[in-house]
Amino acid sequence: MSETLSPELLSALATAAATDHLLVALDFDGTMSPLVDRAEDARALPGSTAALRELAQIPRTTTALISGRALDSLRLVASPEPETLLIGSHGAETWTGPDGAPLELTESQASILRRATAAVQDVVDAHPGTVLELKPAGVVLHTRTADQGTGKAATAAARDALASLEDLHLSDGKNVLELSVVQADKGRGLQSLRELTNATAVIFAGDDVTDEHAFKTLKAPDVGIKVGEGETAALYRITSPEQLVHVLQELVTFRRAGASA
Ligand SMILES: [Mg+2]
C-alpha cells in the first residue's frame, strides 16, 4: 500500500519535527515529480506542492529544492513559492533570496565549458536519440530517449572525448552524464543551506545517485529518505513520489503540533 509509511519513518519525522529550526529540502525529479521522458513535462504532484507550501508557512521552518536542473529549468517546472530556497545544477547555482550572488564563471571555466559542449555535441550528433542540455556551469548528455545500446555507447564516447579536459567534473545520474566546470554536489549544497538557515534538523528526500552526497551529510535527528530502489546511505525509504505526499502531509501535522505547543 503506497500510502502506508513505516512506523520507524513516522517516528523519525515526529522527532525531527520537534526541532527548533527545521529545514525541509527535497530533490525535484523522481521525488516531488514522477519521472518523465521530456524534462520540460515534469510537474510536482499537487499534494507535495501543497504540503510544502504549508510547511513554509510554519514558523522556524524553511523549505528548499535541491536539483540537478539549472535554476531556470527548475523554476519553470517547479513554480516554487518565493520563500522556497533553491539549489540548482547540483549545487553550482543557488538562490537564497534577492541578495544572493549569481553564478559567474572565470574565463578559464567558460573556455573549458565551450570545449566540453562542442565535444558532447559531436557525440549527440553521432548517437540518435541522445540529447544535449546546456547549463550555466555545465553540459549534460541525456540518454533516456535513446535505445539502451546507443545510450551506453554515447556515454562511453563522451567520457573518452572529455578525458583530456582538466578541471571538468563528471558525474553519472539515471541516463545522464553531467559535466560541470564548478565542483559542486548536493551534499555541499545541502550543507550550505543548513548553515545559512541555522537549521537544527534537516529532512532530505531524493531518488538518484547524485542525492547520495546529500544523504551522507545527514545525522540524527536529520531524516534521509530514499525514493525508490537502489543502494543508499539514507536510513529510510519510500516507494514513489506518491508516497512523498504522505510524508510531507505527516510532517505538516507533526510540525504544526510542535509550533503550537
Ligand atoms: Mg531526482
Side-chain angles (χ1 to χ4, degrees):
M1 277 192 0
S2 74
E3 58 277 8
T4 309
L5 304 178
S6 73
E8 293 79 13
L9 174 54
L10 283 171
S11 159
L13 290 173
T15 302
T19 200
D20 182 36
H21 194 127
L22 180 66
L23 169 62
V24 182
L26 303 168
D27 168 51
F28 185 77
D29 294 272
T31 300
M32 290 278 286
S33 149
L35 288 175
V36 293
D37 279 343
R38 293 174 359 131
E40 62 269 34
D41 293 338
R43 291 295 178 275
L45 293 174
S48 283
T49 303
L52 202 63
R53 186 183 305 131
E54 289 184 68
L55 281 166
Q57 286 159 1
I58 300 172
R60 306 184 67 71
T61 308
T62 304
T63 55
L65 296 177
I66 302 189
S67 176
R69 285 177 183 263
L71 274 190
D72 284 350
S73 159
L74 180 60
R75 284 200 179 95
L76 200 67
V77 294
S79 306
E81 298 291 311
E83 54 283 346
T84 296
L85 308 180
L86 303 175
I87 298 258
S89 301
H90 300 286
E93 293 182 278
T94 56
W95 188 85
T96 53
D99 299 333
L103 171 77
E104 276 189 45
L105 299 185
T106 65
E107 215 155 288
S108 140
Q109 287 174 323
S111 153
I112 296 165
L113 181 55
R114 278 195 297 275
R115 287 158 65 195
T117 303
V120 173
Q121 186 61 58
D122 287 346
V123 168
V124 165
D125 290 344
H127 296 83
T130 61
V131 175
L132 175 150
E133 180 197 358
L134 199 54
K135 291 183 179 181
V139 57
V140 188
L141 171 66
H142 290 272
T143 57
R144 182 184 301 281
T145 47
D147 70 61
Q148 227 185 2
T150 308
K152 277 194 175 154
T155 305
R159 281 188 170 277
D160 260 8
L162 298 162
S164 63
L165 278 182
E166 280 177 29
D167 296 320
L168 187 67
H169 308 281
L170 276 67
S171 61
D172 289 291
K174 282 181 189 160
N175 300 310
V176 298
L177 179 66
E178 292 264 356
L179 312 145
S180 178
V181 295
V182 175
Q183 172 96 61
D185 63 55
K186 288 188 175 184
R188 292 169 202 230
L190 183 58
Q191 203 57 34
S192 71
L193 289 184
R194 186 196 293 269
E195 284 160 22
L196 180 82
T197 58
N198 288 316
T200 47
V202 173
I203 312 267
F204 176 75
D207 69 306
D208 209 339
V209 288
T210 54
D211 297 307
E212 293 302 315
H213 295 287
F215 287 133
K216 285 177 188 151
T217 68
L218 302 179
K219 49 186 182 298
D222 300 337
V223 181
I225 305 167
K226 164 83 175 178
V227 183
E229 295 176 355
E231 234 179 273
T232 185
L235 285 185
Y236 304 94
R237 190 189 299 268
I238 57 177
T239 56
S240 63
E242 284 75 15
Q243 234 184 356
L244 183 74
V245 176
H246 301 289
V247 168
L248 295 176
Q249 287 170 343
E250 294 290 351
L251 201 51
V252 169
T253 306
F254 289 135
R255 187 67 179 158
R256 279 217 178 113
S260 60

